[in-house]
Amino acid sequence: QKNPYALPGRSAVVHLFEWKFRDIARECEEFLAPMGYAAVQTSPIAEHLSQPKKGHPWWERYQPMSFRIVSRSGNESRFAEMVERCNYVGVRVYVDVVFNHMTGPLKPARSIAGTSADGINRNYPEVPFHSNHFNPKCDIHTYNDVNQVRNCLLSGLNDLNQTNTYVREKIIDFLNRLIDHGVAGFRVDAAKHMWPADLEYIYSQVKNLSARHGFAPGLRPFIYQEVIDLGGEGVKKTDYNAFARVTEFKYGAEIGNVFRGHNAMKWLKNFGSEWGLLPSGDALVFVDNHDNQRGHGAGGPTIITHKEPRLYKMAVAFMLSWPYGYPRVMSSYSFNNTDKGPPINKNSSIKNVTITSNGKCGNGWVCEHRWPAIVNMIEFRNKVDGTAVANWWDNGNYQIAYSRGDKGFIVFNEEMGADLKQILKTGLAEGSYCDVISGKKMRNKCTGRTVDVGKDGNAAITLLKEEEGVLAIHIGSKI
Ligand code: LAG
Ligand code: CA
């Protein structure tokens, strides 16, 4: 099912990568709900491999040991409490679910909860799964062969056979348990490596969303499937979008290309399915994700991350201002190598996300979703909801502007070494508006630059090369 169940006036899911359930619950109440975010995506919550000698790399959570709910983010009762508290303030919870595979070939493999499994002979007693529940061992030599991609081992991980009735039952039970706890949906990890027919069957057998948690009768879970398709492979994103959403990896790759100056911004005018992207209603979009921000998965070097803040704010502002797909905002911790896990205490537990007096995060958490320019663009998206792109302007190269109907207006300047000075049609009613990138409207004053829109809807816009590369105003920022 493709509807994300965002409450009216809310949008976007934020991936609180590796956050503990307690911190997520607090964030739902104190920030996400009041600021207009629609949902959170958690890291995988099922019992997973523990690799203390490797310093607990983030990817240990992508090696399940069972479908019990226990992870570095917390146990089942903490999980239940989080979902309860987020739902209570109208923030949906989507869980990252991993069921293409179990662990790699480790003997013994030890879990975060202290149980063990035999990854060489494929014995997972906590489920239990045995070797006959897995596909025969083979490596993926070519991504042209869909049989290899779906039936062989992804990164050496023991590959579950989702065509097997018992395996299907275990997966369905797991998803049903999450629904009983009140989740609204799932991010399906490694969907590309599973057969569409198996997935469709599994989804069809899962319960309706929980009435006890306030969902209307008959609602099917929201599902977005991780399928990395940048073109040229056997498995296609279009194998999956008939029955649920798909992560559109081409989106962030193309955005990276444009904002890095390899493709003129003027072409963004028809960004969407005309670029070979999925139909808007089938796509889950993002500038970067937890994989490609550290060189895992696809996207390559064009992906833009929080490590380049000026560029990142522009790219995310574009995503949130553009009516295509369901957007996901990444929220990271800082890292300097591709395996590094989240910030930890001396006893190896994940550090709390602390919030400083100016609303920033401490303890090594980056919290892009709290950056003023980003959260202000969430408000922009919510205010312009339902309008189309209008008043497009470009200079034929790397300066563009457009409105969203008569509700919001945004300008980008990425022209190498050049200022932008133009009289532009904003689509907005006469008045003074606060730019939500350089500042914010507070007690009817603007803490950043203001834009004066005349009777004719025009405004004199200046964006100097040394300033932010984006400016945005909307009906809610009128002063
Ligand atoms: C995905 N796509 O379908 C993600 O894009 C990918 O990043 C996930 O791998 C994968 N699904 C499995 O959920 C991540 C890391 C890998 C890691 C894997 C399992 O990107 O690097 O593999 O999770 O933890 C690790 C080691 C490998 C090793 C493997 C098995 O990095 O070197 O072969 O474990 O022992
Ligand atoms: Ca598989």
Side-chain angles (χ1 to χ4, degrees):
Q1 192 288 124
K2 299 174 187 176
N3 180 343
Y5 301 121
L7 253 56
R10 303 217 192 161
S11 56
V13 48
V14 51
H15 182 195
L16 297 179
F17 181 47
E18 290 276 8
W19 283 41
K20 289 189 290 188
F21 299 143
R22 279 198 147 171
D23 288 332
I24 295 177
R26 188 202 56 200
E27 194 69 356
C28 282
E29 294 165 348
E30 294 181 0
F31 194 81
L32 302 179
M35 295 305 178
Y37 280 98
V40 294
Q41 177 186 314
T42 69
S43 279
I45 65 162
E47 180 175 16
H48 59 86
L49 183 69
S50 172
Q51 304 236 274
K53 287 194 183 126
K54 294 191 173 171
H56 292 291
W58 62 271
W59 42 256
E60 66 184 23
R61 295 180 72 162
Y62 289 89
Q63 300 198 34
M65 301 261 301
S66 82
F67 294 135
R68 293 166 55 201
I69 301 175
V70 50
S71 69
R72 292 191 91 210
S73 290
N75 61 22
E76 184 156 8
S77 57
R78 289 253 190 276
F79 175 75
E81 185 200 319
M82 170 197 73
V83 182
E84 202 89 38
R85 287 168 61 186
C86 290
N87 271 331
Y88 189 75
V89 294
V91 178
R92 306 307 190 195
V93 177
Y94 314 139
V95 173
D96 189 351
V97 290
V98 184
F99 54 76
N100 169 64
H101 54 264
M102 300 296 279
T103 69
L106 295 164
K107 184 184 177 173
R110 287 204 202 284
S111 91
I112 204 75
T115 72
S116 19
D118 177 349
I120 300 228
N121 298 302
R122 299 179 294 186
N123 256 315
Y124 295 87
E126 299 297 313
V127 184
F129 281 141
H130 306 297
S131 55
N132 54 316
H133 300 126
F134 291 86
N135 287 317
K137 290 192 181 186
C138 52
D139 292 325
I140 303 174
H141 295 290
T142 164
Y143 273 77
N144 291 327
D145 178 353
V146 300
N147 289 292
Q148 285 187 31
V149 175
R150 290 172 174 148
N151 293 342
C152 294
L153 280 60
L154 164 63
S155 308
L157 300 158
N158 288 326
D159 202 57
L160 281 167
N161 175 6
Q162 294 83 15
T163 312
N164 178 289
T165 309
Y166 173 84
V167 172
R168 286 178 167 186
E169 273 168 19
K170 290 292 171 188
I171 295 168
I172 294 161
D173 283 353
F174 172 53
L175 300 179
N176 280 342
R177 228 167 341 110
L178 303 186
I179 286 178
D180 287 339
H181 281 304
V183 310
F186 310 108
R187 173 227 184 231
V188 177
D189 180 70
K192 176 183 186 171
H193 300 274
M194 297 184 271
W195 293 95
D198 290 340
L199 292 175
E200 203 176 351
Y201 175 81
I202 290 167
Y203 305 159
S204 75
Q205 297 303 303
V206 169
K207 296 182 178 181
N208 292 334
L209 297 184
S210 163
R212 199 168 62 78
H213 293 85
F215 293 100
L219 295 185
R220 308 297 299 146
F222 173 54
I223 293 173
Y224 51 108
Q225 311 168 94
E226 190 216 12
V227 178
I228 303 177
D229 176 9
L230 293 172
E233 293 181 11
V235 174
K236 309 251 176 285
K237 58 194 176 189
T238 48
D239 300 343
Y240 295 86
N241 67 325
F243 47 90
R245 286 206 192 219
V246 173
T247 52
E248 180 48 277
F249 277 80
K250 214 169 177 241
Y251 188 98
E254 296 283 13
I255 288 297
N257 230 6
V258 169
F259 284 83
R260 287 187 186 288
H262 305 317
N263 188 11
M265 291 190 85
K266 66 165 177 180
W267 301 117
L268 289 173
K269 190 171 183 176
N270 64 353
F271 192 60
S273 40
E274 287 176 51
W275 285 50
L277 305 183
L278 289 165
S280 177
D282 295 354
L284 187 293
V285 302
F286 44 98
V287 172
D288 61 328
N289 78 348
H290 72 283
D291 269 325
N292 64 22
Q293 71 169 193
R294 47 178 52 67
H296 285 244
T302 71
I303 296 298
I304 303 170
T305 75
H306 65 85
K307 297 197 178 197
E308 296 168 278
R310 186 174 182 277
L311 212 49
Y312 195 62
K313 281 183 269 182
M314 293 174 73
V316 175
F318 176 78
M319 173 175 79
L320 293 176
S321 69
W322 194 252
Y324 172 88
Y326 187 63
R328 177 174 59 195
V329 173
M330 181 68 206
S331 187
S332 317
Y333 53 82
S334 52
F335 62 92
N336 42 28
N337 80 68
T338 64
D339 290 339
K340 190 187 172 295
I344 49 175
N345 299 305
K346 284 211 180 71
N347 67 0
S348 284
S349 62
I350 297 180
K351 276 195 179 169
N352 295 338
V353 179
T354 50
I355 309 293
T356 63
S357 56
N358 59 5
K360 292 206 169 95
C361 295
N363 269 350
W365 300 94
V366 179
C367 290
E368 296 92 308
H369 71 288
R370 277 178 172 259
W371 290 7
I374 292 179
V375 64
N376 291 349
M377 285 306 296
I378 290 287
E379 190 186 3
F380 180 104
R381 192 175 187 87
N382 292 336
K383 292 283 191 222
V384 305
D385 186 36
T387 64
V389 171
N391 298 303
W392 177 275
W393 170 86
D394 65 65
N395 73 338
N397 206 21
Y398 280 93
Q399 296 181 342
I400 61 170
Y402 49 91
S403 81
R404 290 290 304 276
D406 56 1
K407 296 190 168 162
F409 176 70
I410 189 162
V411 188
F412 293 86
N413 176 27
E414 258 229 305
E415 197 70 57
M416 268 286 244
D419 297 335
L420 181 152
K421 286 180 185 165
Q422 288 288 334
I423 309 275
L424 294 171
K425 221 174 192 34
T426 66
L428 299 188
E430 182 181 13
S432 281
Y433 295 83
C434 186
D435 166 30
V436 301
I437 303 294
S438 61
K440 184 180 173 52
K441 179 174 124 180
M442 277 177 89
R443 289 184 221 92
N444 248 27
K445 287 216 164 65
C446 182
T447 64
R449 62 162 79 210
T450 54
V451 174
D452 293 319
V453 175
K455 271 203 183 61
D456 54 2
N458 289 346
I461 304 288
T462 311
L463 256 187
L464 304 178
K465 53 182 178 296
E466 61 272 16
E467 296 173 332
E468 298 279 6
V470 51
L471 170 157
I473 58 178
H474 59 80
I475 45 170
S477 79
K478 194 168 181 192
I479 47 177

